[in-house]
């Protein structure tokens, strides 16, 4: 038997096993998704999911909890081309070490959470991205128990909610359906390279 024939037989067995597994996966539900960790790409991956929704003509929404002080490619593109299908709400005023005003940061984060709840309750939104909410939760600008209770009790059954940011709280991870931790292996910032347009924002 040739190498090509052996490979074909091996792949046929793998496909049969995979098809058997896939036949058991029939449920659909609105997922709670968390992108966390020290590595780069948490928001980028989440925006990839938002753009998938846009590409499929599915209404969605974004609430940015922290990055309000800077223009990003994702925000500019959505506002310019897709605001009819994706509502975009920049609620933060920049990273907390830039604002240096805890009371103001707390006020803005809580306003963002109220907006997020309204968007999630609207069943027309098939996905709602809560960008950098984990940062607001880390600094206790928002009560994690409030977030958990809302997601468990009020999130519509078929609505996907995606949350990004480092240091996701254990309480959120517990109720999530999908958690990805981005691991930092190497980053150009450590070699003196600044954040660059088209890569970081």
């Amino acid at each position: 038997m040739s190498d090509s024939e052996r490979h074909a037989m091996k792949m046929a067995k793998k496909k049969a096993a995979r098809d058997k597994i896939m036949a058991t996966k029939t449920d659909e539900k609105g997922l709670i998704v968390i992108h966390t960790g020290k590595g780069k790409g948490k928001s980028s991956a989440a925006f990839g999911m938002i753009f998938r929704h846009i590409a499929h003509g599915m209404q969605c929404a974004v609430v940015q909890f922290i990055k309000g002080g800077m223009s990003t490619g994702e925000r500019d593109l959505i506002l310019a081309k897709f605001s009819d299908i994706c509502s975009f709400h920049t609620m933060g005023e920049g990273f907390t070490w830039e604002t240096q005003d805890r009371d103001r940061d707390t006020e803005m984060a809580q306003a963002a959470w109220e907006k997020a709840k309204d968007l999630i309750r609207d069943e027309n939104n098939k996905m709602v991205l809560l960008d950098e909410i984990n940062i607001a939760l880390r600094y206790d600008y928002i009560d994690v128990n409030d977030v958990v209770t809302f997601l468990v009790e009020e999130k519509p059954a078929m609505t996907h909610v995606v949350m990004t940011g480092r240091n996701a709280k254990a309480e959120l991870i517990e109720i999530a359906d999908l958690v990805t931790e981005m691991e930092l292996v190497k980053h150009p910032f450590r070699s003196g390279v600044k954040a660059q347009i088209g890569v970081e924002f």
Side-chain angles (χ1 to χ4, degrees):
M1 181 182 295
S2 70
D3 287 347
S4 294
E5 289 170 328
R6 275 193 292 273
H7 177 77
M9 286 179 62
K10 183 177 178 182
M11 292 302 110
K13 286 181 181 177
K14 281 193 172 191
K15 181 177 179 351
R18 180 76 176 164
D19 289 348
K20 186 175 180 181
I21 292 169
M22 293 303 290
T24 68
K25 311 301 181 191
T26 57
D27 292 346
E28 288 186 4
K29 64 176 281 193
L31 302 176
I32 297 173
V33 179
I34 297 174
H35 295 164
T36 193
K38 294 181 179 178
K40 176 180 158 32
K42 297 176 287 293
S43 293
S44 300
F47 274 107
M49 298 174 83
I50 285 290
F51 282 116
R52 280 186 182 153
H53 269 67
I54 291 171
H56 287 294
M58 301 164 73
Q59 186 171 313
C60 52
V62 177
V63 179
Q64 287 194 307
F65 279 75
I66 303 292
K67 295 175 181 170
M70 60 188 292
S71 173
T72 64
E74 301 94 339
R75 181 175 70 185
D76 293 348
L77 179 61
I78 288 171
L79 291 176
K81 303 286 187 180
F82 305 112
S83 59
D84 59 328
I85 195 167
C86 182
S87 62
F88 204 110
H89 305 272
T90 302
M91 308 291 288
E93 295 182 326
F95 291 97
T96 188
W97 55 86
E98 292 172 348
T99 63
Q100 300 178 16
D101 185 341
R102 180 177 176 80
D103 291 340
R104 181 68 175 159
D105 288 343
T106 300
E107 179 185 333
M108 297 302 290
Q110 290 179 355
W113 175 233
E114 291 304 315
K115 172 57 75 175
K117 289 192 285 188
D118 288 343
L119 293 166
I120 293 166
R121 287 185 184 112
D122 181 353
E123 294 188 33
N124 290 315
N125 289 319
K126 304 306 180 191
M127 174 176 282
V128 180
L129 166 55
L130 309 180
D131 191 32
E132 302 288 5
I133 190 174
N134 289 336
I135 305 300
L137 289 165
R138 177 187 180 189
Y139 289 108
D140 297 317
Y141 299 156
I142 310 167
D143 184 351
V144 68
N145 296 313
D146 182 28
V147 176
V148 168
T149 299
F150 176 83
L151 292 174
V152 170
E153 296 182 0
E154 293 193 50
K155 182 186 78 64
M158 294 307 294
T159 301
H160 305 295
V161 176
V162 183
M163 296 175 282
T164 69
R166 291 185 181 202
N167 304 112
K169 296 267 189 176
E171 297 93 328
L172 275 184
I173 290 173
E174 178 68 26
I175 65 162
D177 300 288
L178 173 60
V179 180
T180 299
E181 183 164 2
M182 309 293 187
E183 182 181 352
L184 177 61
V185 177
K186 194 173 185 180
H187 199 295
F189 187 77
R190 291 183 171 177
S191 302
V193 180
K194 68 179 183 178
Q196 297 180 86
I197 190 167
V199 179
E200 275 83 16
F201 58 92

